[in-house]
């Protein structure tokens, strides 16, 4: 995908230099560089230079949380039908750029054979979660038969702003598998992309930006997990923390300790060996949902 | 002439308190290796009994007993058999209801009317409810595998009820438990140990270790427990969340609150007044979901406060064993001191204090029902959990302002809405960030109804089908 | 209630629309909450001295009632004797507040009571009230003329339920006028009003129209008096006095048969309207068999033994 060698000139064709993409952050629906002005080189599985990715800073994390919080009221207030449509739209957009993603995933993982199936699985995963938007409350909510003249209904609601460390190995499917379940119930997220393989994630934000997903619902940071995640874990305006991609057990423990300061809901790291292609269950959605139980008397 | 209700004390003779209690481990009472703690009647300051303060070795023994019972008996037992034990326990609680209510009132200070009509019936109902789940877990949607040994630490405000909230779902799912009751209210948990014996519950399925905070810490941090369930302060909840970081332990926390009770101008006023009173003075305000912040629409604030004060003046404060007492004793000297200190801060910050006219007994720990008006969001009495019979009153002008003020807190356990307009109730209920929303009612509890908080009020739910999730491995 | 009520009260009956706007502007009553409040007050435990006091007060509040087609002057005379001296064996036992009879029985009762107890007559074509207004007024006037000093009228529930509040209002006004000096008790027949909201509205409507007492029921419709309905009415008289300065009495009638029930009602009064209403001038029980249970309990308090039906008189 990245033209690393200039194409050979021919007599008919004047030499044309390919246009490279600048891989930036995705915050509040915009594509800023890191406010720190820093970047880091991203290499392919074989070690070749592919691009410079933004090296997000503490302040980028702060801005991303602010953007996620601002987007929360509107996104959580949208109808479930609407959120489902938008997630499905993401799948449509992704399908249209399937070939591009296969190239990018293959370049990141060095595995050209499985890249296609990973991209297909990622597209299908958006579709799967899209359908949950207006079903999770039915499946997980309840009308409770209390012993008295009361209407009593439990409904799951989104927790709020979820900070996510995306899986390190599975650059696209892993990312989709943690972002989609967080946003489908109405949460907004700040996700730290795979540190070594961030490029498919950045390209995915281009899809998100053109899928009617309101700005700020997904915010993507690229950079060092060990640098950014502690700021997210300790941020008092973050409601939940998904440590899926944290590989350093000591760091994961520190992040969980930091998260305790405002009692964030925490998902502990997912083992590196786990198979993201396996069928998911509802657990990731439910971890980032709060059960609200409303009572009202029944009288005339 | 005034209608003076003569004292109508419930008889204490139905309880038989031993001078000294050991720990309940492996199905029998054993001596602890640590010190002793005295538990007192907060209404009289009389020492009721001495209980053991479980130390490290004791906690080890209790966890080991629970592990053995889990591996050998309770884990492998078919759900339908576990169910029968829980039904037995529910029935014995009903049979011994009066004794348990009196014991709870003596040890805790809550009015006998509440322990008799609320706490103990709900305890039996909770066991009855979860008994029925034990052989139906496959339908609940959380898997059927228990987690193992649950470490459970409960507070002093609803001692036996919190025990039921913890033990019933844990046992129904096939876990075994080590439970630590609160330092100041161990007696009903120890009576429950006798109930386990009467029910012939296999040894080690339920273990009760008494003690203070250090015992709780030893239990929660014990490496061999699989699950931690805690109800108590947000401060301790955070410590627990930190202590389990990086472990495989599952945790549920049910912590503090500063609930807004929102009264709109179209509220059913007389029931709203009852709801406000019930919201903050039920159980002396020692309720995590207490409606401690009254948000009243400005246009009716004057009338509502007049009605509230008139109603508060009728509250009967005094001997918790008197069947006519509405507000009992503050649970401990420590808690009384905290209520006094925060109330003084309310005075110092310029809020206006009004105290219900009532005579307080000379001995024991008492605090008269109190309301602060002229409170703003910035006041500490509007932000901090007082956990006592102290209501802070704030006003609002529009529904949006009410919601904004209600949510402007790190807590999110409960909230109240009073309005006769259905669509307004539904819209406001949607916007409130709280785990339990009571509309045109307050402080209602039921075993079938999930309970738990948003934000710093903790995570996980107790009660209902959702309450099973905390004790199952999907 | 609200201070604004007082200033507007004279105005609210100027038209059907205004009256409707006022009555429907009263705060709603949540049925479940009202039921629970009444039930909670029912758990008050009234013992020893408080119970003795309450039993005597309850006796003094009884409107000893007979409202049967089979009533005869003889039956009414016996009832009057019982009213004045409920326990022949115990001169310390107080007499009841009133005897309550049909208009035709008023002449039989009047000379016996002779001012020693009130004489209440139901009127206005009790219990259905389904006669023309002129007949109702004639009914009232005859009862008053024959010696009744209290009139228990029924409201026009049909008009109330179909929203013709002004018609109900004007009828009460007319009856009040016909009463002269006799006290007017307005029976709402709450068992037919269906909701507590309606009970609250009917209470206010009756009070604005001039009722001296508001009364739950005729006793001919089930349910008759219940604690929550009485609670709602006690709230109404409390709020009405706060708004207008005028105190109105409350009379639950029908279905109150035991001393225990009566004491629960007294607790309701004490903790809702307040001690000012704990007096026969402001609270009555419309009952017949209640009196004997009160007497048996009274005996039990004084002797320490349970009494039996053979030890109280049957009139």
């Amino acid at each position: 995908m990245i033209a690393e060698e200039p194409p050979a000139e021919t007599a008919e064709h004047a030499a044309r230099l390919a246009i490279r993409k600048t891989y930036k952050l995705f915050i509040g629906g915009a594509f800023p560089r890191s406010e720190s002005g820093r970047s880091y080189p991203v290499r392919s599985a074989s070690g070749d230079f592919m691009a410079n990715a933004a090296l997000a800073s503490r302040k980028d994390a702060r801005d991303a949380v602010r953007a996620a919080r601002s987007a929360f009221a509107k996104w959580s207030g949208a109808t479930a039908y609407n959120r489902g449509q938008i997630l499905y739209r993401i799948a449509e957009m992704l399908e249209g750029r399937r070939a591009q993603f296969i190239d990018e995933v293959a370049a990141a993982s060095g595995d050209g054979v499985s890249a296609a199936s990973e991209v297909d699985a990622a597209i299908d995963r958006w579709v799967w979660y899209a359908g949950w938007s207006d079903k999770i409350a039915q499946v997980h909510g309840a009308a409770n038969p209390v012993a008295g003249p009361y209407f009593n209904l439990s409904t799951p609601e989104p927790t709020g702003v979820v900070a996510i460390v995306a899986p390190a190995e599975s650059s696209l499917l892993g990312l989709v598998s943690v972002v989609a379940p967080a946003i489908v119930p109405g949460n907004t997220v700040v996700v730290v992309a795979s540190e070594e393989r961030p490029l498919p994630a950045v390209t995915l934000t281009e899809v998100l930006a053109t899928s009617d997903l309101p700005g700020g619902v997904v915010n993507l940071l690229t950079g060092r997990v060990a640098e950014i995640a502690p700021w997210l874990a300790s941020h008092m305006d973050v409601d939940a923390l998904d440590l899926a991609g944290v590989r350093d057990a000591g760091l994961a423990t520190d992040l969980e300790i930091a998260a305790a300061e405002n009692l964030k809901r925490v998902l502990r790291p997912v083992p590196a060996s786990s198979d993201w292609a396996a069928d998911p269950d509802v657990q990731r959605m439910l971890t980032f949902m709060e059960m609200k139980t409303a009572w009202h008397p029944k009288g005339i | 002439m005034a209608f003076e209700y003569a004292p109508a004390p419930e008889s204490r003779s139905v309880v038989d308190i031993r001078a000294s209690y050991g720990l309940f481990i492996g199905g029998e009472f054993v001596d602890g290796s640590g010190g002793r703690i005295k538990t007192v009647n907060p209404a009289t300051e009389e020492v009721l009994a001495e209980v053991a303060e479980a130390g490290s070795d004791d906690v080890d023994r209790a966890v080991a007993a629970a592990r053995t019972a889990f591996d050998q008996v309770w884990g492998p037992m078919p759900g339908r058999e576990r169910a029968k034990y829980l039904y037995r326990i529910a029935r014995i609680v009903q049979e011994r209801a009066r004794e348990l209510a009196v014991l709870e009132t003596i040890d805790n200070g809550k009015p006998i009317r509440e322990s008799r009509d609320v706490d103990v019936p709900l305890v039996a109902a909770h066991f009855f409810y979860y008994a029925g789940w034990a052989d139906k877990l496959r339908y609940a949607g959380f898997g059927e595998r228990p987690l193992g040994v649950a470490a459970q630490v409960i507070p002093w405000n609803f001692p036996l009820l919190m025990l039921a909230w913890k033990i019933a779902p844990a046992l129904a799912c096939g876990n075994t438990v080590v439970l630590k009751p609160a330092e100041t209210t161990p007696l009903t948990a120890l009576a429950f140990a006798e109930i386990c014996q009467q029910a012939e519950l296999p040894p080690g399925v339920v273990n009760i270790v008494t003690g203070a905070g250090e015992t709780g810490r030893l239990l929660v941090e014990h490496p061999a427990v699989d699950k931690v369930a805690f109800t108590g302060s947000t401060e301790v909840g955070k410590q627990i969340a930190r202590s389990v970081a990086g472990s495989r332990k599952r945790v549920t926390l049910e912590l503090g609150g500063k609930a807004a009770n929102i009264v709109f101008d179209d509220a059913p006023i007389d029931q709203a007044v009852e709801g406000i009173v019930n919201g903050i003075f039920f159980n002396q305000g020692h309720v995590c979901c207490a409606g401690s912040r009254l948000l009243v629409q400005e246009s009716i604030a004057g009338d509502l406060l007049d009605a509230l004060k008139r109603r508060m003046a009728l509250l009967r404060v005094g001997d918790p064993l008197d069947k006519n007492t509405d507000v009992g004793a503050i649970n401990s000297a420590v808690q009384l001191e905290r209520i006094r200190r925060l109330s003084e801060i309310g005075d110092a910050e310029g809020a206006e204090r009004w105290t219900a006219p009532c005579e307080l007994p000379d001995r024991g720990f008492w605090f008269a029902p109190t309301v602060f008006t002229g409170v703003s969001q910035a006041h500490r009495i509007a932000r901090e959990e007082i956990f006592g019979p102290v209501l802070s009153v704030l006003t609002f002008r529009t529904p949006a302002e009410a919601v904004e003020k209600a949510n402007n807190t790190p807590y999110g356990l409960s909230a109240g809405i009073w309005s006769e307009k259905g669509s307004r109730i539904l819209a406001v209920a949607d916007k409130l960030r709280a785990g339990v929303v009571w509309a045109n009612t307050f402080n209602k509890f039921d075993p079938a109804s999930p309970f738990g908080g948003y934000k710093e009020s903790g995570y996980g739910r107790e009660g209902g089908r959702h309450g099973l999730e905390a004790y199952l491995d999907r | 209630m609200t201070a604004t009520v007082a200033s507007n009260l004279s105005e609210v009956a100027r038209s059907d629309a205004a009256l409707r706007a006022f009555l429907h502007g009263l705060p709603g009553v949540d049925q479940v909450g009202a039921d629970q409040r009444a039930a909670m007050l029912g758990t008050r435990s009234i013992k020893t001295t408080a119970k003795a006091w309450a039993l005597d007060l309850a006796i003094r509040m009884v409107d000893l009632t007979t409202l049967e087609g089979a009533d005869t002057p003889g039956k009414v005379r016996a009832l009057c004797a019982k009213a004045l001296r409920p326990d022949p064996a115990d001169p310390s036992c107080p007499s009841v507040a009133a005897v309550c009879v049909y208009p035709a029985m008023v002449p039989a009762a009047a000379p016996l009571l002779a001012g020693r107890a009130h004489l209440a007559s139901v009127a206005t074509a009790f219990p259905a009230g389904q006669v023309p207004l002129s007949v109702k007024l004639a009914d009232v006037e005859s009862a008053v003329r024959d010696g009744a000093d209290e009139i228990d009228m029924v409201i026009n529930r049909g008009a109330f339920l179909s929203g013709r509040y002004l018609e109900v209002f004007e009828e009460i006004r007319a009856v009040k006028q016909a009463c002269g000096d006799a006290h007017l008790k307005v029976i709402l027949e709450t068992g037919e009003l269906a909701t507590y909201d309606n009970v609250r509205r009917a209470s206010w409507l009756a009070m604005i129209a001039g009722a001296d007492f508001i009364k739950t029921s005729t006793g001919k419709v089930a349910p008759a008096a219940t604690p929550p309905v009485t609670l709602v009415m006690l709230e109404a008289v409390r709020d009405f006095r706060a708004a207008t300065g005028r105190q109105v009495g409350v009379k639950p009638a029908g279905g109150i048969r035991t001393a225990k029930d009566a004491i629960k009602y007294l607790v309701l009064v004490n903790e809702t309207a307040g001690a000012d209403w704990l007096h026969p001038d402001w609270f009555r029980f419309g009952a017949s068999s209640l009196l004997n249970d009160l007497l048996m309990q009274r005996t039990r308090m004084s002797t320490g033994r349970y009494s039996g039906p053979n030890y109280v008189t049957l009139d």
Side-chain angles (χ1 to χ4, degrees):
Chain A
M1 55 148 229
I2 308 294
E4 289 171 7
E5 301 292 328
E9 288 185 24
T10 67
E12 295 80 15
H13 263 299
R16 181 177 180 281
L17 190 63
I19 305 298
R20 284 185 178 180
K21 179 161 81 183
T22 305
Y23 287 84
K24 295 197 282 190
L25 306 176
F26 184 54
I27 296 175
F31 294 92
R33 291 190 171 85
S34 169
E35 64 76 37
S36 66
R38 301 176 305 168
S39 65
Y40 71 109
V42 178
R43 297 187 185 280
S44 69
S46 53
D48 298 326
F49 172 80
M50 293 199 293
N52 289 308
L55 184 64
S57 66
R58 163 176 69 84
K59 289 185 181 173
D60 293 321
R62 175 202 63 190
D63 292 347
V65 170
R66 192 176 295 156
R69 176 60 65 194
S70 316
F72 178 68
K74 185 179 168 197
W75 181 242
S76 59
T79 63
Y81 179 57
N82 182 237
R83 286 197 304 269
Q85 294 237 308
I86 289 172
L87 261 70
Y88 186 77
R89 179 76 178 156
I90 294 170
E92 290 178 339
M93 293 291 104
L94 203 50
E95 181 84 29
R97 295 170 71 166
R98 182 171 175 274
Q100 180 193 2
F101 275 96
I102 292 173
D103 286 348
E104 287 208 13
V105 169
S109 67
D111 181 354
V113 180
S114 64
S117 63
E118 180 175 344
V119 172
D120 289 344
I123 297 168
D124 292 354
R125 191 131 304 163
W126 281 114
V127 174
W128 193 75
Y129 278 115
W132 269 116
S133 70
D134 48 10
K135 295 166 193 71
I136 188 68
Q138 287 185 310
V139 170
H140 202 59
N144 306 304
V146 295
Y150 294 94
F151 166 88
N152 180 293
L153 196 73
S154 294
T155 321
E157 292 188 341
T159 294
V161 174
V162 184
I164 303 173
V165 178
E169 297 77 19
S170 181
S171 59
L172 182 67
L173 178 58
L175 176 77
V176 171
S177 301
V178 293
V179 170
I183 65 171
V184 66
N187 296 295
T188 56
V189 306
V190 176
V191 57
V192 182
S194 166
E195 187 170 320
E196 301 296 327
R197 300 173 180 180
L199 301 188
V202 178
T203 303
L204 180 69
T205 63
E206 297 164 9
V207 169
L208 300 179
T210 54
S211 303
D212 302 329
L213 188 73
V217 174
V218 175
N219 303 276
L220 182 88
L221 302 174
T222 55
R224 307 294 178 214
V225 169
E227 179 187 353
I228 310 167
W231 294 106
L232 295 171
S234 66
H235 199 303
M236 297 297 275
D237 204 25
V238 171
D239 300 297
L241 185 63
D242 182 349
L243 300 176
V246 177
R247 287 290 157 267
D248 174 345
L251 175 62
T253 301
D254 289 346
L255 294 174
E256 193 175 341
I257 289 171
E261 192 50 39
N262 68 335
L263 291 164
K264 290 178 183 68
R265 288 74 176 117
V266 177
L267 264 181
R268 290 181 179 139
V270 176
S273 58
S274 63
D275 176 16
W276 289 102
D279 281 341
D281 65 14
V282 295
Q283 191 56 52
R284 301 196 80 81
M285 280 185 287
L286 296 183
T287 302
F288 303 126
M289 298 187 84
E290 307 291 322
M291 192 58 53
K292 176 185 281 178
T293 300
W295 294 67
H296 196 284
K298 289 194 264 194
I300 55 165
Chain B
M1 182 177 163
F3 192 3
E4 302 286 0
Y5 307 159
E10 181 64 59
S11 168
R12 241 187 98 150
S13 64
V14 292
V15 301
D16 179 18
I17 302 174
R18 290 186 239 158
S20 167
Y21 289 86
L23 306 168
F24 184 67
I25 296 176
E28 41 190 57
F29 283 96
V30 298
D31 290 335
S33 63
R36 311 287 296 167
I37 298 175
K38 289 183 170 64
T39 184
V40 304
N41 179 340
T44 61
E45 300 178 52
E46 158 205 11
V47 173
L48 294 168
E50 272 193 0
V51 301
E53 182 172 16
S56 175
D57 291 349
D58 302 318
V59 171
D60 279 348
R61 267 196 297 168
V63 172
R67 173 63 57 192
T68 304
F70 175 73
D71 290 340
Q72 296 176 3
V73 184
W74 199 248
M77 186 183 289
R80 64 175 184 276
E81 297 302 307
R82 292 201 306 269
K84 287 192 259 182
Y85 282 107
L86 292 176
Y87 282 124
R88 258 193 201 179
I89 289 172
R91 280 294 192 235
I92 298 174
V93 168
Q94 289 173 327
E95 287 156 11
R96 296 176 63 174
R98 191 52 55 96
E99 170 198 351
L100 293 168
V102 171
L103 190 58
E104 195 78 303
T105 283
I106 291 173
D107 203 17
N108 168 280
K110 66 174 63 200
I112 186 73
R113 180 165 61 77
E114 292 177 7
S115 53
R116 179 195 67 197
D117 295 348
V118 181
D119 293 56
V120 174
L122 278 174
V123 169
H126 224 83
F127 277 101
F128 207 83
Y129 176 84
Y130 277 107
W133 270 121
D135 54 358
K136 300 168 192 68
L137 295 175
R138 82 187 62 166
Y139 304 101
F142 303 113
E144 294 184 77
R145 278 183 300 152
L147 298 171
V149 175
Q152 305 181 317
V153 177
I154 57 170
W156 46 260
N157 57 341
F158 293 91
L160 192 62
L161 182 57
M162 290 301 101
L163 173 149
W165 281 27
K166 295 281 179 288
I167 291 182
L171 263 50
C173 293
N175 304 276
T176 56
V177 307
V178 180
L179 177 131
K180 189 197 87 69
E183 181 183 357
T184 59
T185 55
L187 294 185
T188 45
L190 294 164
F192 183 80
E194 293 171 9
I195 289 173
C196 292
Q197 289 176 326
Q198 284 190 333
E200 293 172 7
L201 189 72
V205 173
V206 168
N207 304 276
I208 310 253
V209 291
T210 47
E214 177 61 12
T215 304
R217 191 188 63 77
L218 289 167
L219 178 57
V220 164
E221 295 182 6
H222 197 286
V225 307
D226 303 288
K227 156 78 192 172
V228 174
F230 172 75
T231 296
S233 73
T234 289
E235 186 192 344
V236 174
K238 289 178 182 180
Q239 286 168 19
I240 291 172
R242 280 188 283 267
S243 77
V244 300
S247 75
R248 65 192 164 75
K249 290 177 194 168
R250 294 255 303 262
V251 186
T252 42
L253 302 170
E254 202 272 90
L255 310 174
K258 192 75 191 177
N261 202 357
I262 306 171
V263 182
F264 287 101
D265 59 5
D266 64 346
I269 293 295
D270 290 297
Q271 287 72 48
V273 168
E274 288 306 314
I276 295 163
V277 166
N278 181 42
I280 187 63
F281 302 121
F282 174 62
N283 205 34
Q284 296 74 247
H286 301 328
V287 185
C288 47
C289 52
S292 52
R293 278 188 300 152
L294 174 63
L295 290 177
V296 55
Q297 193 153 6
E298 253 181 46
S299 55
I300 58 161
D303 287 342
L304 184 78
L305 282 172
D306 289 347
L308 177 63
K309 289 174 182 174
R310 179 183 66 212
R311 176 66 179 84
M312 283 172 64
L314 292 171
L315 287 169
R316 306 175 65 85
V317 185
D319 179 8
L321 277 177
D322 188 329
K323 287 177 264 192
N324 293 324
T325 291
D326 298 318
V327 179
I330 301 302
N331 179 252
S332 66
V334 173
Q335 187 58 27
L336 179 59
E337 179 49 34
R338 177 180 165 78
I339 297 166
R340 283 185 177 150
R341 187 168 46 78
L342 276 163
S343 298
E344 280 159 16
I345 289 169
D347 294 331
E349 288 184 334
E352 191 181 327
R353 186 202 292 229
W354 185 86
T355 300
C358 58
E359 249 177 67
L360 300 179
D362 298 331
R363 289 178 62 85
F365 314 127
W366 305 94
F367 198 88
T370 295
V371 57
F372 278 100
T373 52
V375 180
S376 77
Q377 288 284 103
H379 282 123
R380 280 181 66 186
I381 51 171
R383 305 201 66 77
E384 293 183 29
E385 186 175 41
I386 299 173
F387 222 65
V390 181
L391 177 68
S392 297
V393 183
L394 298 87
T395 59
F396 68 89
R397 292 156 297 175
T398 66
E401 187 185 352
V403 168
E404 194 173 53
K405 283 182 169 171
N407 286 339
N408 180 216
T409 163
Y411 294 114
L413 188 52
S414 66
I417 307 170
W418 297 86
S419 167
E420 286 271 281
K421 184 169 179 178
S423 61
R424 175 181 299 146
I425 290 170
L426 294 177
V428 171
D430 261 3
K431 292 191 172 72
L432 291 173
R433 304 286 292 164
V436 184
V437 176
W438 286 294
N440 291 328
T441 188
F442 210 95
N443 271 346
K444 289 285 176 284
F445 309 95
D446 192 279
S449 179
F451 183 93
Y454 284 39
K455 302 193 277 186
E456 290 194 21
S457 291
Y459 34 75
R461 292 293 177 269
E462 294 180 295
R465 177 178 68 85
H466 298 90
L468 298 167
E469 186 178 11
Y471 293 98
L472 289 169
D473 191 6
R474 193 188 288 272
Chain C
M1 263 281 304
T2 58
T4 48
V5 167
S7 57
N8 294 339
L9 217 46
S10 53
E11 285 291 299
V12 299
R14 70 181 181 277
S15 71
D16 227 342
L19 191 52
R20 158 179 291 273
F22 173 77
L23 295 175
H24 286 256
L26 291 167
V29 186
D30 183 77
Q31 185 203 348
V32 173
D35 285 348
Q36 279 173 356
R37 174 65 179 153
M40 181 266 135
L41 288 173
T43 70
R44 290 282 191 233
S45 184
I46 305 303
K47 302 288 184 204
T48 61
T49 52
K51 187 173 179 183
W53 184 82
L55 288 172
D56 276 12
L57 179 61
I59 291 169
R60 291 167 55 218
M61 287 174 163
V62 167
D63 278 6
L64 192 61
T65 302
T66 185
L67 294 168
E68 301 298 332
D71 284 348
T72 58
K75 158 98 193 246
V76 167
R77 279 194 289 272
L79 200 70
C80 290
K82 171 106 174 180
L84 294 172
R85 211 167 159 207
D87 185 350
D90 182 356
S92 76
C93 180
S95 52
V96 304
V99 168
C100 181
V101 295
Y102 270 119
M105 295 297 126
V106 170
L112 286 168
L113 296 178
R116 289 182 290 167
H118 292 289
L119 174 51
S121 171
V122 297
T124 68
F126 179 97
Q130 297 283 21
V131 298
L133 179 60
S134 56
V135 180
K136 292 182 186 178
L137 296 178
D139 198 15
V140 171
E141 283 157 5
S142 109
V144 172
R145 197 167 47 242
D146 288 344
D149 63 347
E150 296 182 351
I151 295 295
D152 290 21
M153 74 168 284
V154 291
I155 65 163
N156 186 336
R157 283 90 74 190
F160 183 89
L161 288 172
S162 53
R164 304 193 312 273
Y165 298 130
L166 197 58
E167 188 178 329
V168 182
F169 174 87
E170 282 169 350
E171 201 168 289
I172 298 170
R173 282 286 274 265
V175 171
K176 171 73 181 165
Q177 196 117 40
C179 282
D181 291 337
H183 268 225
L184 175 61
K185 305 198 196 94
V186 177
I187 302 171
L188 310 180
E189 196 67 300
T190 54
E192 289 182 346
L193 295 184
T195 68
Y196 296 161
D197 292 321
N198 275 344
V199 171
R200 174 168 288 175
R201 289 172 190 147
S203 297
W204 278 83
L205 178 58
M207 292 187 292
I208 296 167
D212 298 303
F213 255 79
I214 50 177
K215 175 176 169 184
T216 61
S217 323
T218 60
K220 306 294 184 190
V221 167
T226 66
V229 154
T230 308
L231 172 82
V232 171
M233 290 167 64
L234 286 163
E235 289 165 355
V237 296
R238 175 198 70 198
D239 294 341
F240 185 80
R241 188 179 73 171
T244 66
R246 186 165 84 83
Q247 186 164 340
V248 174
V250 176
K251 176 178 171 185
I256 305 166
R257 293 188 182 86
T258 66
K260 194 173 177 181
D261 284 345
I263 290 173
K264 285 182 186 179
Y265 278 92
L266 295 182
V267 169
L268 268 183
V269 174
N270 193 38
E271 300 201 33
T272 307
D276 288 355
W277 270 264
L278 282 174
H279 188 277
D281 285 351
W282 303 111
F283 196 77
R284 298 276 181 86
F285 293 106
S288 42
S289 61
L290 170 65
L291 180 60
N292 273 355
D293 198 56
L294 288 168
L295 294 172
M296 284 198 287
Q297 291 301 319
R298 199 174 181 278
T299 308
R300 140 93 177 85
M301 295 290 294
S302 59
T303 65
R305 309 185 283 272
Y306 289 103
S307 185
N310 289 344
Y311 299 90
V312 288
T313 57
L314 259 184
D315 297 305

